[in-house]
Amino acid sequence: MKAYNVMTRKELVAQKAELDRQFAEAKGKGLQLDMSRGKPEPAQLDMGMGLLDVLNSDSDMKSMEGIDTRNYGLMDGITEAKHLMADVMDVPAENVIVYGNSSLAVMYDTISRSYTHGVMGATPWCKLDKVKFLCPVPGYDRHFAITQHFGIEMIPIPMTSTGPDMDLVEKYVSTDAAVKGIWCVPKYSNPQGITYSDETVKRFAALKPAAEDFRIYWDNAYAIHHLYEDKQDTLLEILSECEKAGNPDMVFEFCSTSKITFSGAGMAAMASSPANLADTKKTLTLQTIGYDKVNQLRHARYFKNLEGMLAHMKKHADIIRPKFEAVLTVLEQELGGLGIGEWTKPLGGYFISFEAMEGCAKEIVAKCKELGVVLTGAGATFPYGKDPKDSNIRIAPTYPTAEEMAQATDVFVLCVKLVSVEKLLQEAVAETA
Amino acid sequence: MKAYNVMTRKELVAQKAELDRQFAEAKGKGLQLDMSRGKPEPAQLDMGMGLLDVLNSDSDMKSMEGIDTRNYGLMDGITEAKHLMADVMDVPAENVIVYGNSSLAVMYDTISRSYTHGVMGATPWCKLDKVKFLCPVPGYDRHFAITQHFGIEMIPIPMTSTGPDMDLVEKYVSTDAAVKGIWCVPKYSNPQGITYSDETVKRFAALKPAAEDFRIYWDNAYAIHHLYEDKQDTLLEILSECEKAGNPDMVFEFCSTSKITFSGAGMAAMASSPANLADTKKTLTLQTIGYDKVNQLRHARYFKNLEGMLAHMKKHADIIRPKFEAVLTVLEQELGGLGIGEWTKPLGGYFISFEAMEGCAKEIVAKCKELGVVLTGAGATFPYGKDPKDSNIRIAPTYPTAEEMAQATDVFVLCVKLVSVEKLLQEAVAETA
């Protein structure tokens, strides 16, 4: 089909009439589909049910170091869990604290502690007039929600195909002492599925922050969440890069098994330098007597090691790959060459990112909703929910079935076309006027 | 034996010689006993091992409301867990949020949120020059550690046999708007094992706080932790009392199953008014996508209801009662009538509180340590670790065996006697001089 932007007004009007007809038809179907959140589907969770057989009333409940996992104590995690999570992040086990079931909670906690008590002796952020964070966009809405909650000013940094625009990052970080952090999802990023290049990671490691308490908040949420066996992104390990660059304390790295075993009942971990960990533990020790070591033991025994986890993740990939492909196929078939949208083709993670024509995203999401297809709210991938171009839409293909995803994407492309045609017609009118 | 305070100097000297001899002898035994922390012993944890059989790979993982407990969502807890924890606290289920594995973490979180964001629209505490908390003493060291961590000034309130000195509480709360809270362990208090009387609870409920954001931090840690079947304390339910008194929003109540199932792997809960819960959830929803619902399901199905939990707690009581009795027997036999110490005889909870002669607690704890018996640090039961009289010592009888407890208490009473005699001799010298 002809690209929309080279259609005549007459062609556009004819196109719109046809799309209006399709829209009315689709409305009659009464669909109810949700591609809004990055949730595993039940079949993925089923893959992890063996986890529940690992421990029973006959089990030895002692960890490798001889700790009774059922009792109080051992705040930073049992050894076998530390090793497992360390291997996921490709860092030494001594750089790891294993937490409870949510890495988001660990991130919140890390920001909250910096706000109330400061980072390694620096002034607590609550005592400062202004704290700023860099936010690569599009990015993860829940990161932005945390910084917004603490009144932290968010500065959007455009993403490129190799990670955040590092010229901008370097400029802000080196010149503005109010800039205390940057949110990163460095591998299979949310929502674009981009993995930061080696050069990007090295430039991160070599930052010369104006603020002593500047930290990189490295949310390695999709470290082993590949879609393919033969095509996989790799990420340079940032802790050792920072150490080499003379910035050993510059990173807090986070990960979890939420999208490996159970989303609500996995374990989370943080990796950082000994100095950062010691500072963190000063508060942790007041905050809790320890995290759920029984669940740590369950996970460590279930997977045994990273290889066990990677084998498990292949099963997940087999379940969700067809869904990604269903979406990408429809997008390519229906929108390829029309010039009204671009999208990412990630090799892992949980999302596909769609760039509509400027000023169209909100309307597309609204129209999808009208047809019974729920998408992440337009703008959610930007700080304060404000996408200045109103063009980014996050597609989360994991929860519905592949068939449902194809159906939902049919609806999506229809709405993209319709909104784009309307937009082009408006522009034509504006030009004529 | 003659009371020490009526002994002549000569008698005291003779007594000291005999105690010195016993001390040297005890030192030779090379004991290694710990009665410092309120930890369940392994046999108690063994009682809960059936918990691990409740869920396996064939289990239906849906909660009562049809939620897949393995996936994200349902931030405030599954219905059956809410009901169970509500019944422990004797409140309606709709007043409850079920959290992760640690009620201490919930308390920290509640204080931290008040510090960063304020309570129900009031000024965040970090923006105030001065925030004060009332701290019934002796009390729980970890409560005091949290308030101290946030720079909150702690005002000790003496405990009586019916709870905190309510005249003082009323005076501070009604006249000082900087007083934002009071820490309470209302049932089988830590460390005295005192349960607040109905009148005390009613006076709490009827407080007229100067500060709109004053809250009672009601740590109901030992709600069903009785030692006896036939002798049990009862506690008036404070949420409904506060509501009756026109103070519906004045309480945050906490509890957990840490000393019911597994200390590190149970579930915690908070009960409060709808307005407080709504305010709490505004932050919670940014902080996590949800707590461990699988563990909630495991607990709810294991116990079925409060009766199941109470039956389980009888087994705990059977294990720890002999230990309490071992301590009390030795104390009575060895110190009864000597006039050098008083102690509580609780009907539940995890502690016995000992009051030594003024200025003796630190030295007693040090001497016990010399003999290989670890006690909670003297002073720990007071804000800032400072017991003005240096007399309170917390005894935690649950972790060692009854036999070990008897041994440890033998050491303890020896040290109490020795330190007391030395103290009396010093005083005699001082009087003579």
Side-chain angles (χ1 to χ4, degrees):
Chain A
M1 185 182 271
K2 202 169 169 181
Y4 278 28
N5 57 347
V6 294
M7 280 188 184
T8 62
R9 186 175 153 74
K10 201 175 156 192
E11 285 170 324
L12 286 171
V13 169
Q15 186 68 18
K16 176 164 156 45
E18 167 59 16
L19 293 166
D20 280 339
R21 194 194 57 74
Q22 289 177 17
F23 189 86
E25 190 182 305
K27 206 163 177 179
K29 287 186 186 161
L31 293 176
Q32 269 197 313
L33 297 166
D34 189 334
M35 42 184 195
S36 71
R37 301 292 332 169
K39 280 173 76 166
E41 73 137 303
Q44 289 175 267
L45 303 170
D46 289 345
M47 291 291 161
M49 285 298 281
L51 185 70
L52 298 175
D53 295 331
V54 173
L55 298 179
N56 59 48
S57 55
D58 294 326
S59 296
D60 171 14
M61 298 301 287
K62 289 220 162 69
S63 68
M64 278 172 66
E65 63 269 83
I67 292 276
D68 187 338
T69 55
R70 305 168 303 178
N71 219 324
Y72 289 120
L74 202 66
M75 191 187 59
D76 59 354
I78 61 173
T79 299
E80 48 268 65
K82 276 190 194 173
H83 276 281
L84 192 60
M85 299 311 272
D87 288 350
V88 170
M89 293 184 279
D90 195 18
V91 300
E94 59 264 32
N95 288 102
V96 171
I97 297 174
V98 186
Y99 285 78
N101 74 323
S102 162
S103 59
L104 189 73
V106 182
M107 291 180 244
Y108 180 96
D109 200 47
T110 307
I111 298 295
S112 184
R113 188 177 56 254
S114 306
Y115 186 84
T116 58
H117 289 85
V119 178
M120 279 176 60
T123 307
W125 299 348
C126 69
K127 304 296 182 198
L128 299 176
D129 289 335
K130 178 68 93 181
V131 173
K132 302 175 187 171
F133 254 60
L134 306 184
C135 299
V137 290
Y140 180 31
D141 55 353
R142 290 187 184 271
H143 287 163
F144 305 153
I146 291 173
T147 23
Q148 183 170 1
H149 189 57
F150 283 95
I152 294 168
E153 183 184 321
M154 294 183 277
I155 301 167
I157 302 289
M159 281 289 287
T160 74
S161 62
T162 56
D165 178 334
M166 290 309 294
D167 292 342
L168 261 183
V169 170
E170 284 164 355
K171 193 194 95 185
Y172 278 114
V173 171
S174 64
T175 60
D176 189 347
V179 171
K180 302 297 188 187
I182 180 168
W183 286 118
C184 296
V185 182
K187 194 165 182 182
Y188 301 135
S189 69
N190 178 351
Q192 293 169 301
I194 289 169
T195 297
Y196 294 9
S197 70
D198 291 0
E199 195 205 331
T200 296
V201 175
K202 282 176 191 289
R203 286 178 74 177
F204 263 114
L207 284 172
K208 299 285 167 241
E212 58 171 339
D213 53 349
F214 171 84
R215 295 291 183 272
I216 300 162
Y217 295 78
W218 198 252
D219 183 2
N220 203 350
Y222 307 105
I224 56 172
H225 300 58
H226 310 287
L227 284 171
Y228 298 91
E229 263 195 79
D230 52 342
K231 294 177 286 182
Q232 297 188 346
D233 290 349
T234 56
L235 176 70
L236 208 55
E237 197 290 291
I238 193 163
L239 256 65
S240 51
E241 289 301 320
C242 282
E243 207 180 332
K244 277 189 254 171
N247 282 321
D249 301 324
M250 205 166 57
V251 182
F252 286 118
E253 179 170 358
F254 310 94
C255 81
S256 82
T257 68
S258 293
K259 292 183 182 85
I260 297 174
T261 55
F262 297 151
S263 305
M267 58 181 179
M270 182 170 87
S272 198
S273 68
N276 277 328
L277 293 186
D279 190 52
T280 301
K281 286 179 192 175
K282 270 194 274 176
T283 297
L284 265 194
T285 196
L286 303 170
Q287 196 166 356
T288 179
I289 306 182
Y291 294 96
D292 186 341
K293 298 185 297 298
V294 169
N295 204 33
Q296 291 176 12
L297 188 68
R298 189 180 280 126
H299 276 76
R301 290 197 185 156
Y302 181 58
F303 289 118
K304 293 186 180 67
N305 50 40
L306 182 61
E307 286 63 46
M309 223 181 226
L310 293 175
H312 184 83
M313 291 308 283
K314 279 186 197 166
K315 298 183 206 164
H316 276 225
D318 289 341
I319 295 170
I320 64 178
R321 192 190 319 112
K323 304 178 185 198
F324 275 78
E325 291 178 346
V327 174
L328 291 170
T329 302
V330 174
L331 289 176
E332 187 54 44
Q333 278 174 354
E334 296 295 320
L335 299 181
L338 294 193
I340 56 174
E342 292 179 353
W343 54 93
T344 57
K345 298 165 194 72
L347 299 179
Y350 264 60
F351 304 102
I352 291 167
S353 181
F354 186 87
E355 286 292 319
M357 287 169 57
E358 271 200 50
C360 289
K362 275 208 175 105
E363 186 59 22
I364 292 168
V365 171
K367 283 225 181 321
C368 281
K369 195 175 174 194
E370 229 182 296
L371 299 186
V373 172
V374 179
L375 288 159
T376 310
T381 52
F382 283 74
Y384 311 107
K386 284 180 196 156
D387 175 359
K389 292 187 180 165
D390 184 26
S391 65
N392 186 254
I393 297 172
R394 186 180 83 163
I395 299 174
T398 57
Y399 195 76
T401 64
E403 197 181 322
E404 286 170 338
M405 273 317 297
Q407 269 190 306
T409 313
D410 282 339
V411 165
F412 177 72
V413 295
L414 169 61
C415 295
V416 170
K417 288 179 189 173
L418 184 55
V419 173
S420 303
V421 163
E422 286 171 351
K423 179 83 180 168
L424 288 165
L425 281 170
Q426 278 166 21
E427 282 172 8
V429 170
E431 276 169 32
T432 317
Chain B
M1 185 181 272
K2 204 170 168 180
Y4 278 27
N5 57 347
V6 295
M7 281 188 184
T8 64
R9 186 175 154 73
K10 201 175 157 192
E11 285 170 322
L12 285 171
V13 169
Q15 185 69 18
K16 176 164 158 47
E18 167 59 17
L19 292 167
D20 280 338
R21 194 194 58 72
Q22 290 178 17
F23 189 86
E25 191 182 302
K27 205 164 178 177
K29 286 186 188 161
L31 293 176
Q32 272 197 313
L33 297 166
D34 190 334
M35 43 183 192
S36 72
R37 301 289 338 166
K39 278 172 75 166
E41 74 136 302
Q44 288 174 268
L45 302 169
D46 289 344
M47 291 292 160
M49 285 298 280
L51 186 70
L52 299 175
D53 296 331
V54 173
L55 297 179
N56 59 47
S57 55
D58 294 325
S59 295
D60 171 14
M61 298 301 286
K62 289 220 162 71
S63 68
M64 277 171 68
E65 62 269 84
I67 291 277
D68 186 337
T69 55
R70 305 168 303 177
N71 219 326
Y72 289 119
L74 202 68
M75 191 188 59
D76 59 353
I78 60 173
T79 299
E80 48 268 66
K82 276 190 193 173
H83 275 281
L84 192 60
M85 300 310 272
D87 287 350
V88 170
M89 294 184 276
D90 195 18
V91 300
E94 58 264 32
N95 288 103
V96 171
I97 296 175
V98 186
Y99 285 77
N101 74 322
S102 162
S103 60
L104 190 72
V106 182
M107 290 180 246
Y108 180 95
D109 200 49
T110 307
I111 298 295
S112 184
R113 187 177 56 251
S114 306
Y115 187 84
T116 59
H117 289 85
V119 178
M120 277 175 60
T123 307
W125 298 349
C126 69
K127 304 295 182 200
L128 299 176
D129 289 333
K130 180 67 93 179
V131 173
K132 302 176 188 171
F133 254 60
L134 306 184
C135 299
V137 290
Y140 180 32
D141 55 353
R142 291 187 184 270
H143 286 163
F144 304 155
I146 291 173
T147 23
Q148 185 170 359
H149 190 57
F150 284 95
I152 294 167
E153 183 183 321
M154 293 182 279
I155 301 166
I157 302 290
M159 281 288 288
T160 74
S161 62
T162 55
D165 178 334
M166 290 309 294
D167 292 341
L168 262 183
V169 170
E170 285 164 353
K171 193 195 95 184
Y172 279 114
V173 171
S174 63
T175 61
D176 189 347
V179 172
K180 302 297 189 189
I182 180 167
W183 286 118
C184 296
V185 183
K187 193 164 182 183
Y188 301 134
S189 70
N190 178 352
Q192 294 170 300
I194 289 169
T195 297
Y196 295 7
S197 69
D198 290 359
E199 194 204 333
T200 296
V201 176
K202 283 177 190 288
R203 286 178 73 178
F204 263 114
L207 284 172
K208 299 284 166 242
E212 56 170 342
D213 53 350
F214 170 84
R215 295 290 183 273
I216 301 163
Y217 294 77
W218 198 251
D219 182 3
N220 204 350
Y222 307 105
I224 57 172
H225 300 59
H226 310 287
L227 285 170
Y228 298 91
E229 261 192 81
D230 53 341
K231 295 176 285 181
Q232 298 187 345
D233 290 349
T234 54
L235 176 69
L236 209 54
E237 198 290 292
I238 193 164
L239 256 64
S240 51
E241 289 301 320
C242 282
E243 207 180 331
K244 276 189 253 170
N247 282 320
D249 301 324
M250 206 165 57
V251 182
F252 287 118
E253 179 169 359
F254 310 95
C255 82
S256 82
T257 68
S258 293
K259 293 183 182 85
I260 297 174
T261 55
F262 297 151
S263 304
M267 58 179 179
M270 183 169 89
S272 198
S273 68
N276 278 326
L277 293 187
D279 190 51
T280 301
K281 287 179 192 175
K282 270 194 274 176
T283 297
L284 265 194
T285 195
L286 302 171
Q287 195 166 356
T288 179
I289 307 183
Y291 295 95
D292 187 340
K293 298 183 297 295
V294 169
N295 205 32
Q296 291 177 12
L297 188 69
R298 188 180 279 124
H299 276 75
R301 289 198 187 156
Y302 182 57
F303 289 118
K304 294 187 180 68
N305 50 40
L306 181 62
E307 287 62 46
M309 222 181 226
L310 292 174
H312 183 83
M313 291 308 284
K314 279 186 197 167
K315 300 183 203 163
H316 276 226
D318 289 342
I319 295 170
I320 64 178
R321 192 191 320 111
K323 306 178 185 198
F324 274 78
E325 290 178 347
V327 174
L328 292 169
T329 301
V330 175
L331 290 176
E332 188 54 43
Q333 278 174 356
E334 295 296 320
L335 299 182
L338 294 191
I340 56 173
E342 293 179 352
W343 55 93
T344 56
K345 297 165 193 72
L347 299 180
Y350 264 60
F351 304 103
I352 290 166
S353 180
F354 186 86
E355 285 292 318
M357 287 169 55
E358 272 200 46
C360 290
K362 275 208 175 103
E363 187 58 23
I364 292 168
V365 171
K367 283 226 182 318
C368 282
K369 195 177 175 189
E370 230 182 294
L371 299 186
V373 172
V374 179
L375 288 160
T376 309
T381 51
F382 283 75
Y384 311 106
K386 285 179 196 155
D387 174 359
K389 293 186 178 168
D390 184 27
S391 65
N392 185 255
I393 297 172
R394 186 181 81 163
I395 299 174
T398 57
Y399 195 76
T401 64
E403 199 181 318
E404 286 169 338
M405 273 318 297
Q407 270 189 305
T409 313
D410 283 339
V411 166
F412 177 72
V413 295
L414 170 59
C415 296
V416 170
K417 287 179 189 172
L418 185 54
V419 172
S420 303
V421 163
E422 286 171 350
K423 178 82 181 171
L424 288 165
L425 281 169
Q426 278 168 20
E427 282 172 7
V429 170
E431 276 168 30
T432 317

